[in-house]
Amino acid sequence: MRYVLILLLLIAAAAGGIYAAKFEPTASMINDALEGVIEPADAPLPVPPLANGAASYDAAVLASLDMQTCFDAEAKFSDNSERVWLDRAVRATPEPGTWQFPDLANYPGLVKLEQIKSSLGNSREHCGAARIAENWFMTASHCVLDYQALSAAATDLMLLTPAEDIFSEAVETVPVTGAVCHLDFGMDQWRFSNDIALLYVEDTSGLVSVPIATLEPEDSDLRRGDIDAFHIAGWGSNGDFRFLQGGVVAPERVGQSVLVTARIDAKGPDVGDSGSPLYTFIDGEPVVIGVLSNVRRQVPPELKSAAYVRVKGVRDWLETAMAVCGQDGEFVCGDAGASNGVTAAP
């Protein structure tokens, strides 16, 4: 019994410490606690049948699977005619040699996510995402949900295929059909481990240039001592939401469900990079190991640590959500009568 109590105390300390470390880094001993806690793996849940005659699942069924519909294009648009596309003439391209671009070949599946916040398309927010299946892209819940009513609901979501300059003529704009978010995500309670969402794209014809990323295996035993550096890339504020920036960051905390990274040479993710994948290399190949949840702000650049959802901790949720919500080429977790600004569970 004594050993059970000690284990429970370690788990509580690790959980509390990792969330606190997002804004006020705590002692390095948390790493040892995190690395010593192994969460039991749960099998993906079986796919429930749709009710007779129903085109989509109701909220109660999704809630039983820890899911909620968080975007449904049909709630706003019936034929895409009102969608506002990218204005490529806003700013000039950078002078040759003035911007150091990372090699996109090292970041398979990476795309830019834009949330249109106004009918004119001039109010936007930015995130990243990664393609993990033919029709599915992984991002952060807070990139889709309007948590705490801090901003207007997205009237539209679209993906931009990757390029060094996102205003390039080669970039495709691809509409998002629907999205499902983790039910137990609450940014006000710093639930980084549940800051995960999936975007469904029905028409993938514009995505031929985007490979499907390899995800960290759920039985992965990578710990902090096994990882020299993580690799990042995105179109956040460091790149003026337009130019690709990236590099390497250091492992600061490596837990079973949450990763925390530290900057190297003051370089790292920033505002607009949320939802972007975190990569490591396994057997020489890039593997997505995390999804950016939050960046520590209001500190000097070199201290801007970042919290990521670890992929292995949400593999079962991802697999269940894709099996349930994508059936026969259709997104069946939408509700055309619902608002896109779904309130996260308390």
Side-chain angles (χ1 to χ4, degrees):
M1 183 66 180
R2 181 178 62 181
Y3 296 108
V4 173
L5 289 174
I6 291 173
L7 179 59
L8 290 174
L9 287 172
L10 278 174
I11 294 172
I18 192 66
Y19 297 141
K22 186 67 210 79
F23 292 98
E24 295 298 332
T26 56
S28 60
M29 64 177 290
I30 294 175
N31 290 322
D32 298 329
L34 285 172
E35 293 179 18
V37 176
I38 305 298
E39 297 176 355
D42 297 322
L45 297 174
V47 177
L50 281 167
N52 290 336
S56 63
Y57 291 102
D58 64 29
V61 173
L62 295 181
S64 71
L65 301 172
D66 289 329
M67 302 174 197
Q68 59 181 318
T69 299
C70 46
F71 177 78
D72 178 13
E74 295 302 319
K76 293 288 184 180
F77 302 97
S78 58
D79 58 5
N80 294 345
S81 62
E82 297 178 71
R83 294 182 184 271
V84 179
W85 302 118
L86 192 65
D87 183 355
R88 305 181 195 277
V90 175
R91 290 184 292 272
T93 57
E95 293 293 328
T98 60
W99 191 264
Q100 186 66 42
F101 295 112
D103 186 355
L104 271 167
N106 292 326
Y107 307 97
L110 177 67
V111 295
K112 188 171 188 281
L113 170 64
E114 291 204 355
Q115 306 113 299
I116 309 301
K117 297 285 189 165
S118 67
S119 59
L120 296 178
N122 55 0
S123 176
R124 302 186 182 207
E125 293 184 4
H126 309 263
C127 277
R131 189 178 194 182
I132 64 170
E134 175 64 25
N135 300 91
W136 291 102
F137 289 78
M138 180 175 63
T139 189
S141 271
H142 80 267
C143 288
V144 186
L145 281 170
D146 293 302
Y147 61 91
Q148 297 180 314
L150 291 180
S151 60
T155 61
D156 200 10
L157 296 175
M158 64 183 183
L159 301 177
L160 308 184
T161 57
E164 293 179 347
D165 179 359
I166 211 69
F167 283 7
S168 165
E169 292 293 338
V171 170
E172 295 276 355
T173 53
V174 180
V176 173
T177 306
V180 57
C181 296
H182 200 292
L183 182 68
D184 197 29
F185 165 66
M187 199 69 169
D188 56 335
Q189 299 184 35
W190 310 114
R191 296 176 186 168
F192 298 119
S193 59
N194 294 323
D195 192 4
I196 192 74
L198 282 169
L199 311 174
Y200 186 85
V201 176
E202 184 175 305
D203 182 1
T204 61
S205 59
L207 296 168
V208 293
S209 65
V210 184
I212 296 172
T214 300
L215 297 181
E216 179 190 22
E218 59 185 341
D219 60 352
S220 169
D221 59 358
L222 287 175
R223 309 246 179 135
R224 184 183 179 192
D226 304 320
I227 303 168
D228 295 325
F230 291 118
H231 300 258
I232 63 166
W235 296 269
S237 61
N238 288 342
D240 198 22
F241 302 120
R242 171 182 177 182
F243 304 123
L244 182 67
Q245 58 93 24
V248 295
V249 291
E252 184 174 293
R253 310 273 188 266
V254 178
Q256 297 299 305
S257 59
V258 177
L259 306 166
V260 178
T261 65
R263 291 192 166 206
I264 297 179
D265 297 329
K267 295 181 179 179
D270 214 319
V271 176
D273 287 319
S274 290
S276 295
L278 182 70
Y279 295 85
T280 190
F281 280 76
I282 299 178
D283 297 329
E285 297 297 325
V287 172
V288 177
I289 191 171
V291 179
L292 181 59
S293 175
N294 202 273
V295 175
R296 188 181 182 206
R297 303 174 64 185
Q298 299 178 342
V299 294
E302 64 272 13
L303 297 180
K304 282 189 175 181
S305 58
Y308 288 80
V309 174
R310 187 168 182 178
V311 166
K312 68 171 290 183
V314 292
R315 279 294 296 264
D316 293 334
W317 186 91
L318 292 168
E319 291 173 9
T320 299
M322 287 189 288
V324 169
C325 295
Q327 298 184 27
D328 299 324
E330 295 184 354
F331 181 71
V332 294
C333 288
D335 180 0
S339 165
N340 292 336
V342 181
T343 300

